Structures are given as C-alpha cells and as structure tokens.
Amino acid sequence: MYALVDANNFYVSCERVFQPRLDGRPVVVLSNNDGCIISRSAEAKALGLQMGDPYFQVKPLLEQHNVAVFSSNYALYGDMSRRVMWYLNQVAPAVEIYSIDEAFLDLHGMEPFVVSSLESFARTVRTNVLARTGIPTCIGIAPTKTLAKLANRLAKKNPGMGGVCYLDTAERRRWALEQVAVEDVWGIGRQYAQKLYAAGITTAAGLAGCSEAFARKYLGGVVGARLVRELQGFPCQGLAPSEDGTLSRRSLCCSRTFGRPLTDFLDVTGAVSAFASRAAEKLRRQGDAAHLLTVFLSKSRYGLEAPPYSSSAVLTLPMATNDTMELVRHARAALKRLWQPGNRYTKAGVILDGLEPEGQTQLTLFEAAPVSERRAKLMVELDALNRRFGKGTVKLASLVLPPGQLRAPWEGQAQWRTPQYTTRLEDLLLVG
C-alpha cells in the first residue's frame, strides 16, 4: 500500500499557524511580485476565487468580502514543510517528498505493526502532524501511487471521510474511480482529456477499463499503459528520488520578475549577479559544477517595447565550476552582450547546464591545481558561514547595497509578507 499525505491549502495554513485569528476568514496568498493568487482557503474558494487569478482583477472582490491577503513567504513555507516531512520520515519506512506540501509513503509490510488498520494509522499520522506543526492534511491510501493520489482527492472533497480515504477493497476502488472525472486523474492533462472525452471516456472508471492497446496509442505509449494499470490496482512505479533538494538536477535556474521595470545597467547587473550567486549555492549543494551558463533578459509584452521580448546569451566556460566569483564574472560578461540601452527590462535569469561531478572537472592548460583547491575551500567556508549565521550574511561586494538603501531595485513587490517566524531570530514571536 502507498499513502499520499497532502497539506490542505498549504501556504494559507502556514500563515494561519501564527495568526489563529484568521481561522474561518477567507485568506489568499499571492505569487512572487504580488501578481496572482497561488493559495486559497476554503472560504476564499467558496467566493469563486480561482488559482492564478490576477490580483488587480479580483482586488474589488477581495475588499468586498474582507479577504486577508498575504505575499508569499517561501522561507516560512519551506521550513514548515521540512517539519512536516521530518515527522513523516519517522513513521514510514520510505518517503518520497513529491512537492513542498505532498509526500508519498511506502506502507508495504506495515500491517502487522499498526494497532488496528492502516486507516487508523493514517488518522493518527494526520492528528500528529496537526498537533506538531499546526498544518491540516488529508491522506489517501491505495495499492498504487495513482490510486493513492485519487484517494487523497476524494478525502479532500468529502468532509465526511474525516480527511482519510482508504481504498483497500475492489469495491471501494470501483466506487472511487466512478467519483473522479477523467481530467482529474494524475497524469491526464488537457489534451489527453479531450481525446478521452471524444472516445466517450469521462471518468476514471472508464479509463481503468481501457485496453492496453488503446492506452499505448492515445496516452503516450508505455506511460499511458502504466497509468491504466495503476488505476486497475497493479503497481507500476515505486517511490522516486525526492524533490526536496536531495535529487540531483541536470540543470539549475534562478530567475525573477522585477518589482518594477529597470532601465539602468547597474541595477540589472545587480540582479544577474544575485541570481548567479544563488545558482552557484544550489550547484555546490548537490556537488556539481557547470560547464554552460545562460543569461536571459525579458521585456514586457504589454509595454511599448518592440519585439523580440526576450534575448539570451550562452557561454561555454573554460572549465566547469561552481565558484560563485567565477560564475558571477561570466554572467556579467554575458549580460554585456545582451544589454540594449533604452529598453525597460522586467525579468532576468541565469541557467546553469552541462553539469558534472565536482572535483572531477578537466583543468585548463593555464589553471594551477593549488589555486583551484584554495578557491574550492573558500566556497566551502562561504557556505558554512551563511548556513550558520543566515543566508546572505557573507556575499560578494557587488551584491552589497549602498548605505541607506534597504532593498535592491530589482527585488519584487511583497507588500503583505509576514515575518519569517521560524528561521529568523528577529522575527521570533514573543510570549508575555
């Protein structure tokens, strides 16, 4: 059996943990730059607010119904996620962290060790996660990951289930499949759903009754065949490497939309330098070095600037590196190739490709090994200091703001961001 544990309205739930007065009140959390809605409480959903609604369009509705609005606070959400996942790792033999608010648990072989049933076990897990972190969850349990995802969906949609849906029998699985529209099945996108509706298949039960030949022909070959088999109760996929930072990525990207359009070269240079520095930290964390560096700039499609709206420059580095100073230097050189005075830029980013294991890179003809070793040790110390004293404590001089300037010009808008209650000493709540 597999279980899928999914936090309910996770970003909103994180905000409510530290502001209990928000319970029962409609709440939404906005994306980077306060652009659109990315998390809604149940009360906000009841008002008709949708994921992705632009804030400026729904602002009158938010004000009319006294909806609490928050800017995204990813430092807080990431730490709350870590606490939830830590507990799940203590109670299950194996865990796949699927996203910031979802995790698959492998429950095979656990039946003899639970008090009564896996359903009671799931209810205990749900109760303990709420007690330890304040985050409400729903849990779906089924023989396959696809069915566990489907069961979790039913647990969320049906309050009478008490947050847990256990598909342990063929009868329960048949009932569950009939309740879910085919477009809501994990792995079925819009285009596949259109094909299935054209073929008269409208529910997950209809999809589970498809032949393997049909699935291979219309649902992407072997991937579609596996999906159908999973709906039929036959496991075709186990737990995968987690998306929590432990999974080694083939490329890394750091990009942001600016809080306002930028026309000054130094302002954009600061943004690109910050993105390259952040990407270098991620690269060292997974033990790799990059051989290719891409810098891109974007203009607004809705402004007065003429197309093309995006441009990029790709550099092949002399040798693969994860050195912050080297990557920032190359990123600034790439930016100079792209810069066109007079344009209003709204977004920039740095992408690192051609990754290879750190310490196994080929030196250039003129690179001295002792110098490389000293720079590598310097980066280790840099990361250690930032881990101990907080992100950004030690950084390149080019990233230091002038005296009196509190925010970089490129930083996004975050008018309603709450404090970092769990990761910043100055933001700890005081209890009198």
Side-chain angles (χ1 to χ4, degrees), residues 261-304:
L262 299 180
T263 58
D264 187 86
F265 178 73
L266 291 180
D267 290 342
V268 179
T269 299
V272 170
S273 299
F275 301 156
S277 178
R278 178 61 178 150
E281 293 176 6
K282 294 181 179 181
L283 197 58
R284 292 193 294 272
R285 188 182 303 162
Q286 71 176 42
D288 283 335
H291 210 282
L292 294 173
L293 181 145
T294 302
V295 173
F296 67 85
L297 285 177
S298 298
K299 301 179 291 186
S300 173
R301 294 178 179 271
Y302 309 102
L304 301 177

Side-chain angles (χ1 to χ4, degrees), residues 15-37:
E15 299 291 352
R16 282 177 164 175
V17 168
F18 300 95
Q19 302 185 68
R21 66 180 182 275
L22 297 174
D23 289 347
R25 179 181 172 186
V27 181
V28 298
V29 175
L30 304 179
S31 63
N32 279 329
N33 226 17
D34 294 342
C36 60
I37 294 175

